[in-house]
């Protein structure tokens, strides 16, 4: 008996030791590597930054009356009750862009590919910029650290400081010799470092321009940056999409944003029809929107859904300049630079420069949308376009509102001007506006749902669970 | 052998070698089968023949001699045998039965033969009236048959309180002269319940024995096919015989377990042929892991997975198809019995895969001396069980206007308007045919069971079907005296066609049920083709249109085809009387081909120009098990047995899929005909090594102690955490044996308790975070990170369970009761919770989270009436379970079941910290601190969709019960199963869609005005009741009422008559002159009655099927397809 037991055990032990190592050595993931070179990450990072901007714009323009609800399922976005379903730009900043961008920068630095580091920093500054503008306090120092599951918020003031540092550092990185040069993977500029530097300056100008309520606001610093930024549409940071999902523009029917429930807002369509813009019909109207079945252009009043109207009287959102599968989409445009310049120059009391930038912005945008030269001239000569003497901030901001359709910057602008009727003519709160706000306007987006569920203490620390939290102004929105 | 095993592991490194080896194994197996079949040519009666010649020796010595000659073990109390004195005996070539009878002649001892064991028992004390000697003897005769009317050969027939007894012959007949005045005849046979009959004035008897499931001395199969005396078990098990399984006439063996076992919850997913059935034992132990028990067939683990979501489905396939759980590949008629090991305790020896319990399936084997051909056939007609009520007043339109729309918010129908019952018109009568042919036979050297079966199921939905063809050969051979070989081989082909049933748990169009809950009543859905043969559109605008279900079932079918082989080879060597060595090698592998077609013209998002998804899955589990089983008497009172085992398991999985859109030729179905295609591959491998021991101590046959220990090494954990050990300890005390009680009132009483711990490893390849190329995540090619962040520091998770129970039998075993209380705690779970976005990922793999399950189970069986002609059996299984989350990973407060989202941002399955595991999270009206609904200035409440919360309901039932009644009267039998579920809430997502579409009866109030209940905030913090009149219009229903998930929470309690079955066995008298040995007919009605307050399709449905992890979609009804009811006629014939 003993013999048998011995044999059994000896053989068992032999088995364990004999093939244990090889036997278990099969757990490396056969489905994907854990590391690659930065060029293999770049295209994704750039394209995801556009997607991120799309989702940031989705929340913003649902609030500022460019986009309204067609079907009831999203009605309470319009009246600011359910803004928690248009705030996933928060997720996309960290998940779609951030996780990839941080690894790209790390792997690039490890092989001294400094240009990739610079690009990563510019993209990070822009996308974190959108995120803090929408949400106020965000994760910065403790974001995307493998060992941290519940990161802490940083204040917006701190984040802005860090973003300025990032952009300054990016310029330094672009001046270094990079082991691996930027190539075709750079779908924005095809490896043109000069354009990246211009973009870094433009991005810094944009952020500085947000501080218009702050004592530190310095329009001349912005104008200096503008001098070294985009000089034509040729410098635009953008991408032209090639077709169906996932290669469709975010704002197209096949794109990443929820498509079926949305339509144009009446406020935006009325603006394009000249209401408040010198009663001149904007030649961009047929480029941007579709008319209803009777040939009349209509939008939907925010807070009131299309159901109940004969549906075909409201034109489809799809297939126009911004909403085709193959539409281009930009992270930064020359027009935005011109309107930042116009505003800064105006505030610096340089009306001539403000006017020149204002006209250049309008002209470039009309050209971009393919308006005939004759119509461009007629529009610039009409009551819609001001002359140098009559130019107001309102004129600049309304033209920026039209030229930057779908852009998250528009909401930042509107908050900076406190939704003023004198800046945005005829702007009104939506029907059934969220009663929790009293009569206040929305000043930020609610905390993203995952943060309420999985990092609740942090959300509580910023008062994020209060029903009127979305009326709380972000740092730059306060004097 | 072990060396071969080691090299086998190395062989697997190359595919070709692996293929070759598999082929070789197959050839070996089939060769063996052919040889064995040849051996069967001659059949002979194979009983051990015993010759004894002893003078004045102790009984033990004679027993040893008999044991040597027969191979049968003896089980007895020393004291008893010692007191019986010595024996002198001389017999030649007699049967075991006769030999033992001779040995015990004149002693106060009786015996019983169970399986391979002879149990020696004291003879009951003889009561007075029977002691009066009467010289007269009466001749009795009779016939003993089983429930199918087949003769029971070798049954023991005896007279109570006398030495008179005999055995039945090959026709099941007996003749017996009994002393006049004998009162009771006792008939018994192993595997059947003993019957006692009053003799009275009868002289001729036909006795039907009923197969036993709860019997003293019953043998149950626990780990690795090891048989154990049920007396000795410290934990609860329940056994279901093959016949009981067949009673419910289910295609899927999982469904057929419904109501048969306490603590077992079965959830069918839909009425689509082949649809999965989920199975849960004692609640869920994992937040998002697999909660299903391990399936073991003939000693090897078997895959019962369900595809939850084919990867790369283009966003549409996801959870829209009623995939099968792979146990559907098993032919129910091949099953001899299923033993359900309910908790981790019962399954400690199966290791990490069994932390949710185990379902141990034993298939039929050949029996020596009984050559038999069995043919059975059944035909079933099916129809839909329950569909929701729809309003029949309002027509297509919106805002009360008759405009083209998929909505029914138009005007009222006029008197002349034609309306249609589109849903009812859509379903057809389904048919289900099964045919099964089997052969059993054998000699004392070898035996065989072979079967072939075919199932053809056409569903109640047009163009849906499920077909299964199965072949099985189980062969056993006794090569030498002590060496036994066993082979099992099962090949199955399962294939079917299904519709896209609904959006699953994702929102979207395309499911046939989604379309049906929208189809306006004034449009004839049956008219689905335009004059040019294209799809007739409901609404001209393609973006607003929905697919017509009649068009979908033909144009957007989902098909799959599975080829599967399960095979084992086993060698068993009785080295000594006290040592058995067994080695078993088994494999279960299948390839599944899956195709989903979306024809051009569909409204499915992104597939308008045609779409095709094709995937193939390969899965293989190979196991090698070595067992050494020792038996030893330590002292004269203590017997011990020890099982040592070694187990290696290889898991291989591969999935290749390709998805294409934009057909070049619109009607040519091939992946070569698409303009855009993307492909994807997922491969996973896992290896587990285990070593275990199981020590059983038996003190005087009334006190049993059981200690087990197992160490596992898993490839999926980091090297430093790879090895982990877990023990169990159990005990049982048979009170009736302890006190040598002979009470008839309490015939049997046993108490038991077990503590067990089971470890569990991680999913494979989850240590480092890998880059992905999925093009929904990575834009522009190359690499990016996906949703999941992995973890290099994973540890094994552990489940601790404690259970206490008792088994009691009363009134001469006429009533049996089994009670169990348990507590199961799963700690440090390996889960993938959603985490803060600040991590850069959506999910992160962590150790964390604790679930506590507490429950109570009761199984009651009783025989209220039993006499010569009539017998009534009752079986009741009752259980309750409470699953509580006592800790969640990484400081979070809610764990969302990602796969159980019913309606995005409206309701989903979730688990809350210190709350229910089976909770529902959803959006509600905003309320004040009193819980009153706050009404806004416009008179309507607001829904805050961005703040979803615990709706305070549990999807887990308060208790479930299954009550089986069966009656046997002569040649007739009747049985029925009542299935009861009490409590457990259901989210009625179907009603939600109906409200949105305007077809819900809840919207019939439209156009009226009312004051909505709630309060108005007159000044901050001051609330007064609302008095404002508001209109109940489309906007109210669709954007306010519908967005409050609480409006769709319903009680899911039910009573249902699962089946009722009537059978008739043709009397033997009629069959005697035919070659037919047995012939029976049966008629079964399935799901005949369903009583429930639930207004949706069926409270039982789990919309995303059994493949969903964690708590699954139990209690989430979202436009699933109805279950079925049916009538079955069946026939069973033996030759």
């Amino acid at each position: 008996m003993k013999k048998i037991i011995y044999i059994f055990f000896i053989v068992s032990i032999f088995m364990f030791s004999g093939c244990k190592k090889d036997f278990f050595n099969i757990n490396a993931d056969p489905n994907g590597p854990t590391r690659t070179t930065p060029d293999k990450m770049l295209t994704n990072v750039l394209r995801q930054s556009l997607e991120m901007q799309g989702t940031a714009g989705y929340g913003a323009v649902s609030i500022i009356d460019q986009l309204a609800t067609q079907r009831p399922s999203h009605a309470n976005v319009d009246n600011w009750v359910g803004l928690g379903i248009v705030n996933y730009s928060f997720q996309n900043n960290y998940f779609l862009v951030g996780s990839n961008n941080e690894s790209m920068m790390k792997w690039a630095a490890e092989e001294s590919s400094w240009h990739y580091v610079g690009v990563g920093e510019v993209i990070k500054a822009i996308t974190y910029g959108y995120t803090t503008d929408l949400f106020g306090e965000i994760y910065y120092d403790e974001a995307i650290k493998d060992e941290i599951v519940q990161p802490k918020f940083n204040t917006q003031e701190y984040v802005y400081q860090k973003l300025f540092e990032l952009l300054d550092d990016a310029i330094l990185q672009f001046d270094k010799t990079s082991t691996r040069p930027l190539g075709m993977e750079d779908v924005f500029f095809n490896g043109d470092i000069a354009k990246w530097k211009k973009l870094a300056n433009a991005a810094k100008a944009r952020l500085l321009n947000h501080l218009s309520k702050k004592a530190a606001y310095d329009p001349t610093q912005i104008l200096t940056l503008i001098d070294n930024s985009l000089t034509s549409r040729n410098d635009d940071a953008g991408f032209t999409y090639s077709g169906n999902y996932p290669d469709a523009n975010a704002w197209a029917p096949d794109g990443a944003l929820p498509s079926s429930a949305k339509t144009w807002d009446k406020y935006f369509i009325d603006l394009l029809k000249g209401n408040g813009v010198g009663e001149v019909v904007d030649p961009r109207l047929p480029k941007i929107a579709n008319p209803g079945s009777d040939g009349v252009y209509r939008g939907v009043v925010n807070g009131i859904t299309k159901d109940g109207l004969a549906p075909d009287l409201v034109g489809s959102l799809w297939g126009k300049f911004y909403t085709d599968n193959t539409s281009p989409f930009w992270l930064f445009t020359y027009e935005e630079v011109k309107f930042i310049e116009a505003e800064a120059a105006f505030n610096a009391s340089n009306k001539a420069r403000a006017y020149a930038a204002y006209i250049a912005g309008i002209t470039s945008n009309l050209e971009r949308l393919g308006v005939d030269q004759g119509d461009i001239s007629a529009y610039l000569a009409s009551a819609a376009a001001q002359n140098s003497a009559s130019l107001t901030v309102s004129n600049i901001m309304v033209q920026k509102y039209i030229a930057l359709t779908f852009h998250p910057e528009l909401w930042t602008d509107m908050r900076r001007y406190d939704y003023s009727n004198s800046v945005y003519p005829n702007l009104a709160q939506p029907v059934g506006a969220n009663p929790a706000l009293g009569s206040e306007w929305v000043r930020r987006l609610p905390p993203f749902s995952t943060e309420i569920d999985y990092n609740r203490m942090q959300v509580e620390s910023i008062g994020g669970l209060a029903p009127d939290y979305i009326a709380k102004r972000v740092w730059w929105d306060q004097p | 052998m072990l060396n071969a095993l080691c090299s086998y592991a190395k062989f697997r490194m190359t595919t070709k070698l692996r293929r070759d080896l598999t082929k070789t194994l197959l050839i070996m197996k089939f060769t063996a089968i052919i040889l064995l079949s040849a051996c069967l040519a001659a059949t002979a009666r194979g009983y051990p023949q015993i010759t004894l010649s002893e003078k004045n020796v102790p009984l033990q010595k004679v027993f040893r001699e008999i044991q040597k000659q027969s191979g049968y073990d003896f089980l007895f109390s020393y004291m008893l045998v010692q007191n019986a004195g010595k024996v002198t005996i001389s017999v030649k070539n007699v049967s075991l039965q006769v030999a033992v009878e001779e040995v015990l002649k004149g002693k106060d001892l009786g015996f019983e033969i169970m399986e391979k064991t002879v149990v020696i028992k004291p003879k009951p004390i003889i009561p007075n009236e029977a002691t009066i000697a009467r010289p007269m003897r009466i001749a009795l005769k009779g016939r003993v048959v089983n429930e199918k009317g087949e003769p029971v050969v070798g049954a023991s027939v005896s007279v109570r309180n006398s030495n008179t007894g005999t055995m039945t012959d090959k026709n099941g007949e007996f003749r017996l002269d009994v002393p006049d005045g004998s009162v009771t005849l006792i008939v018994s046979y192993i595997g059947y319940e003993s019957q006692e009959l009053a003799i009275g004035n009868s002289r001729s008897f036909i006795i039907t024995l009923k197969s036993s499931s709860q019997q003293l001395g019953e043998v149950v199969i626990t780990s690795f096919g090891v048989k154990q005396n049920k007396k000795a078990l410290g934990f609860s098990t329940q056994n279901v015989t093959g016949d009981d399984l067949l009673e419910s006439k289910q295609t899927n063996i999982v469904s057929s377990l419904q109501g048969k076992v306490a603590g077992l919850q079965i959830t069918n997913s839909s009425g689509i042929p082949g649809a999965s059935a989920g199975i849960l034992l004692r609640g869920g132990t994992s937040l998002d892991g697999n909660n299903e028990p391990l399936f073991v067939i003939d000693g090897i683990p078997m895959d019962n997975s369900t595809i939850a979501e084919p990867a790369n489905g283009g966003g549409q396939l996801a959870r829209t198809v009623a995939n099968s759980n792979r146990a559907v590949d098993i032919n129910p008629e091949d099953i001899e019995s299923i033993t359900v090991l309910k908790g981790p305790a019962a399954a400690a020896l199966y290791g990490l895969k069994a932390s949710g319990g185990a379902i141990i399936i034993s298939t039929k084997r050949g029996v020596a001396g009984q050559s038999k051909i069995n043919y059975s056939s059944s035909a079933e007609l099916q129809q839909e069980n329950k569909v929701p009520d729809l309003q029949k007043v309002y027509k297509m339109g919106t805002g009360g206007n008759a405009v083209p729309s998929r909505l029914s918010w138009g005007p009222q129908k006029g008197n002349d308007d034609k309306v249609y019952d589109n849903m009812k018109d859509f379903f057809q009568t389904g048919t289900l045919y099964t045919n099964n042919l089997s052969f059993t036979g054998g000699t004392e050297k070898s035996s065989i069971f072979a079967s072939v079966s075919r199932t053809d199921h056409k569903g109640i939905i047009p163009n849906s079907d499920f077909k299964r063809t199965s072949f099985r050969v189980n062969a056993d051979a006794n090569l030498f005296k002590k060496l036994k070989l066993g082979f099992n081989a099962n090949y199955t082909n399962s294939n079917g066609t299904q519709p896209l049933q609904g959006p699953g748990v994702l929102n979207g169009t395309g499911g046939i049920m989604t379309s049906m809950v929208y189809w306006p009543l004034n449009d004839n859905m049956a008219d689905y083709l335009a004059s040019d043969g294209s799809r007739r559109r409901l609404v001209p605008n393609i973006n607003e249109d929905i697919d017509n279900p009649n068009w979908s079932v033909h144009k957007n079918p989902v098909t799959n085809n599975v080829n599967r082989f399960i095979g084992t080879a086993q060698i068993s060597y009785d080295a000594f009387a006290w040592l058995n060595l067994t080695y078993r090698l088994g494999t279960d592998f299948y390839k599944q081909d899956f195709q989903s077609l979306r024809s051009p013209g569909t409204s499915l998002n992104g597939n308008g120009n045609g779409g095709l998804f094709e995937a193939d899955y390969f899965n293989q589990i190979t196991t090698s098990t070595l067992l050494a089983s020792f038996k030893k008497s330590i002292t004269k009172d203590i017997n011990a047995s020890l099982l040592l085992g070694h187990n290696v398991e290889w898991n291989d999985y591969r999935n290749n899929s390709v998805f294409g859109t934009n057909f070049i030729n619109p009607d040519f179905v091939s992946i070569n005909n698409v303009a855009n295609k993307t492909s994807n591959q997922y491969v996973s491998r896992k290896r587990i090594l285990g070593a275990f021991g199981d020590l059983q101590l038996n003190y005087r046959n009334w006190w049993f102690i059981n200690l087990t220990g197992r160490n596992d090494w898993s490839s999926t954990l980091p090297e430093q955490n790879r090895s982990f050990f877990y023990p169990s300890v159990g005990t049982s005390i048979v009170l009736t044996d302890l006190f040598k009680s002979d009470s008839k009132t309490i015939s049997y009483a046993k108490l038991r308790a077990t503590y067990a711990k089971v470890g569990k490893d991680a999913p494979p390849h989850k240590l480092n975070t890998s880059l992905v190329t999925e093009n929904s995540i990575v834009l522009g090619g190359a690499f990016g990170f996906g949703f999941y962040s992995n973890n290099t520091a994973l540890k094994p998770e552990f489940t601790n369970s404690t259970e206490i129970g008792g088994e009691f039998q009363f009134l001469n075993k006429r009533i049996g009761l089994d009670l169990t209380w348990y507590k199961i705690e799963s700690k440090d779970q390996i889960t993938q919770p959603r985490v803060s976005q600040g991590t850069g990922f959506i999910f992160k793999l962590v150790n964390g989270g604790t679930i506590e399950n507490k429950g109570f189970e009761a199984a009651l069986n009783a025989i209220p009436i039993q006499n010569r002609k009539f017998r009534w059996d009752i079986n009741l299984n009752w259980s309750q379970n409470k699953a509580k989350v006592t800790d969640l990973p990484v400081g979070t407060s809610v764990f969302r079941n990602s796969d159980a989202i019913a309606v995005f941002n409206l309701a989903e399955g979730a688990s809350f910290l210190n709350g229910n595991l089976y909770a529902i999270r959803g959006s509600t009206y905003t309320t004040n601190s009193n819980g009153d609904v706050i009404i806004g200035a416009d008179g309507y409440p607001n829904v805050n969709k961005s703040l979803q919360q615990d709706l305070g309901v549990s999807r887990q039932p308060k208790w479930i019960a299954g009550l089986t009644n069966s009656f046997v009267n002569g040649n007739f039998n009747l049985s029925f199963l009542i299935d009861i579920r009490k409590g457990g809430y259901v989210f009625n997502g179907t009603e939600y869609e109906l409200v949105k579409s305007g077809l819900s009866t809840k919207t019939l109030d439209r156009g009226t005005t009312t004051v909505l209940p709630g309060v108005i905030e007159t000044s901050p913090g001051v609330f007064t009741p609302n008095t404002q009149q508001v209109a109940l219009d489309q906007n109210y229903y669709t954007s306010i009422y519908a967005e409050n998930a609480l409006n769709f929470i319903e009680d899911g309690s039910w009573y249902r008559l699962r089946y009722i079955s009537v059978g008739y066995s043709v009397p033997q008298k009629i069959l005697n002159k035919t070659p037919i040995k047995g012939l029976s007919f049966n008629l079964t009605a399935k799901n005949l009655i369903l009583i429930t307050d639930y207004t949706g399709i069926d409270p039982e449905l789990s919309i995303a099927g059994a493949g969903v992890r964690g708590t699954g979609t139990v209690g989430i009804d979202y436009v699933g397809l109805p279950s079925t009811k049916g009538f079955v006629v069946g026939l069973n014939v033996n030759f």
Side-chain angles (χ1 to χ4, degrees), chain A residues 1 4-5 8-9 11 14-16 19-24 26-36 40-41 43-44 47-48 51 70-73 75-76 81 84-85 90-91 94-95 99-100 103 107 139 142-144 146 148-151 244-246 305 307-309 311 318 435 448-456, chain B residues 2-3 5-6 9 398 401 406 544 578-579 626 630 644 646 648 650 662 676 681-683 685-687 689 691 713 715-716 719 722 764-765 767-771 775-780 782-787 834-840 842 844 890-894 896 905 921 942-947 996 1034 1038-1039:
Chain A
M1 170 177 172
I4 299 278
I5 297 174
F8 177 73
F9 277 109
V11 172
F14 170 77
M15 270 217 59
F16 291 133
C19 52
K20 203 169 152 184
K21 258 255 144 63
D22 283 352
F23 183 78
F24 289 119
I26 52 153
N27 202 37
D29 191 347
N31 302 295
T34 53
R35 182 186 170 118
T36 185
K40 305 296 189 299
M41 302 292 283
T43 309
N44 186 37
R47 295 237 345 234
Q48 294 293 14
E51 298 288 314
Q70 167 179 332
R71 276 208 217 100
S73 58
N76 44 20
V81 173
I85 58 177
F90 190 85
Q91 167 175 308
Y94 296 102
F95 163 56
S99 62
N100 296 308
S103 289
W107 295 330
Y139 308 124
E142 295 193 351
I144 315 181
D146 195 36
I148 300 178
V149 186
Q150 292 184 306
N244 296 323
Y245 177 86
T305 64
D307 285 318
L309 291 176
W318 310 121
F448 192 59
S449 62
T450 54
E451 308 316 301
I452 298 172
D453 289 337
Y454 313 122
N455 205 5
R456 197 181 186 96
Chain B
L2 289 165
N3 277 330
L5 201 63
C6 209
T398 61
N401 303 316
R406 60 169 143 176
E544 298 276 324
W578 47 267
L579 173 64
L626 177 64
F630 306 86
L644 291 176
H646 174 263
V648 191
W650 294 264
N662 291 8
N676 307 317
Q681 182 180 62
Y682 180 75
V683 178
R685 295 195 291 167
K686 172 169 163 173
R687 289 171 180 179
L689 204 75
W713 292 261
S715 67
T716 66
E719 201 170 344
R722 180 175 288 157
H765 318 306
L767 300 182
N768 294 298
T769 308
S770 308
L771 291 158
N775 57 22
S776 56
I777 304 172
V778 182
L779 298 176
F783 281 119
F785 286 107
F787 298 115
R834 286 167 184 266
V835 285
S836 163
Q837 297 303 320
T839 60
I842 311 292
K844 183 163 176 68
V890 294
T892 59
S893 54
V894 57
R896 294 164 65 190
N905 281 316
R921 176 183 186 266
N942 261 313
V943 184
N944 189 349
K945 288 196 74 170
S946 53
L947 259 185
K996 299 280 260 192
Q1034 179 182 354
T1038 59
S1039 67

Side-chain angles (χ1 to χ4, degrees), chain A residues 184-422:
Chain A
M184 297 288 284
E185 294 81 12
D186 171 11
V187 292
F188 286 177
F189 301 129
N190 229 338
D192 188 336
I193 293 298
K195 288 185 180 177
W196 276 108
K197 286 192 201 168
K198 289 180 182 179
L199 179 61
N201 286 323
K204 193 171 176 189
R206 176 197 275 174
L207 292 175
L208 284 168
N209 196 40
H210 292 171
L211 309 184
S212 58
K213 284 185 178 180
K214 292 289 182 193
Y217 177 65
D218 179 3
T220 54
Q221 187 193 359
I222 296 167
L223 291 171
T224 311
L225 286 163
I226 295 287
D227 290 339
N228 295 304
S229 77
L230 286 62
T231 52
S232 74
R233 289 201 300 283
N234 199 29
D235 291 339
D236 287 346
F239 179 74
T240 301
Y241 288 82
S242 60
N244 296 323
Y245 177 86
D247 283 319
N249 174 293
W251 289 96
D254 265 8
L257 297 167
S259 57
S260 60
K262 287 293 170 183
T263 190
W264 293 112
D265 195 287
K266 184 169 186 296
Y267 179 78
F268 184 52
I269 296 294
D270 285 356
L271 211 57
L272 291 170
K273 284 157 95 173
N275 191 358
V277 197
E279 304 309 316
V280 177
V281 176
D282 196 307
R284 286 170 286 191
L285 175 60
K287 304 286 183 188
I288 293 174
N290 283 306
S293 57
D294 56 356
V296 177
Y297 290 91
R298 286 189 189 83
V300 169
V301 178
N302 230 350
I304 296 179
T305 64
K306 182 171 129 179
D307 285 318
L309 291 176
D312 56 348
L313 290 180
V314 180
S316 159
L317 189 66
W318 310 121
K320 304 306 283 187
F321 182 80
Y322 293 106
T323 57
D324 197 62
N325 277 358
T326 55
S327 294
F329 193 59
W330 298 275
L331 201 60
F332 228 111
T333 59
Y334 174 64
E335 286 94 304
E336 185 185 351
V337 170
K338 287 292 121 182
F339 287 114
I340 294 170
E341 181 183 354
E343 188 186 354
F346 193 92
N347 289 336
S349 304
N350 186 345
K351 276 213 165 184
R353 183 168 179 180
Y355 178 71
Y358 162 77
I359 292 296
I362 298 172
T363 311
S364 177
N365 192 245
L366 289 165
E367 286 171 359
R368 183 189 296 276
L369 268 71
V371 176
D372 292 345
Q373 276 306 320
D375 289 342
I376 293 175
S377 308
Y379 184 74
L380 290 175
S382 74
Q386 304 298 313
N387 57 49
S388 171
S390 66
L391 184 70
T392 62
V393 165
S394 172
N395 301 140
I396 297 168
M397 299 318 291
V398 167
Q399 283 298 340
K400 189 178 179 185
Y401 181 89
I402 296 170
L404 268 66
T405 303
F406 290 148
H407 208 294
E409 278 304 296
L410 300 182
W411 186 33
T412 301
D413 291 341
M414 233 180 227
R415 284 179 285 170
R416 287 195 293 119
Y417 289 101
D418 294 328
Y419 297 92
S420 163
N421 252 252
S422 56

Side-chain angles (χ1 to χ4, degrees), chain B residues 641-805:
Chain B
S641 67
L642 174 67
L643 178 74
L644 291 176
H646 174 263
N647 181 237
V648 191
E649 186 174 317
W650 294 264
N651 288 273
D652 283 81
Y653 175 82
R654 179 180 293 266
N655 163 224
N656 292 310
S657 63
V658 53
F659 176 55
T661 53
N662 291 8
F663 286 9
I664 302 165
N665 272 3
D667 49 5
F668 187 78
V669 180
S670 162
I671 204 70
N672 301 326
N673 183 42
V674 298
N676 307 317
K677 60 188 150 196
T678 53
S679 60
N680 201 29
Q681 182 180 62
Y682 180 75
V683 178
S684 86
R685 295 195 291 167
K686 172 169 163 173
R687 289 171 180 179
I688 309 167
L689 204 75
F692 51 88
D694 180 355
L695 175 68
Q696 299 198 358
L697 298 171
N698 169 350
Y699 178 73
R700 291 190 170 187
N701 219 22
W702 60 262
W703 187 20
F704 303 87
I705 292 174
N706 188 190
L707 300 167
T708 72
R710 181 178 173 115
N711 202 92
D712 274 326
W713 292 261
S714 167
S715 67
T716 66
L717 289 164
E719 201 170 344
Q720 69 276 12
N721 297 334
R722 180 175 288 157
S723 162
F724 48 103
F725 175 81
Y726 43 95
S728 86
V729 52
T731 186
S732 75
I733 295 172
V734 182
L735 297 173
T736 37
D737 286 356
L738 167 61
F739 299 114
K740 301 206 161 55
S741 155
D742 197 36
S743 157
K744 279 187 190 170
T745 318
I746 301 173
S747 349
Y748 180 62
K750 168 187 153 183
L751 298 177
R752 52 168 205 254
T754 290
Y755 165 82
K757 185 174 178 180
V758 180
K760 201 171 177 179
D761 61 352
H765 318 306
K766 293 289 183 192
L767 300 182
N768 294 298
T769 308
S770 308
L771 291 158
V772 303
T773 53
E774 282 166 54
N775 57 22
S776 56
I777 304 172
V778 182
L779 298 176
F783 281 119
F785 286 107
F787 298 115
Y788 299 96
S789 170
N790 291 336
N791 193 333
T792 50
L794 290 178
K795 302 176 298 195
E797 68 174 64
F798 287 99
T799 297
N800 296 310
S801 102
T802 307
E803 72 167 82
I804 301 170

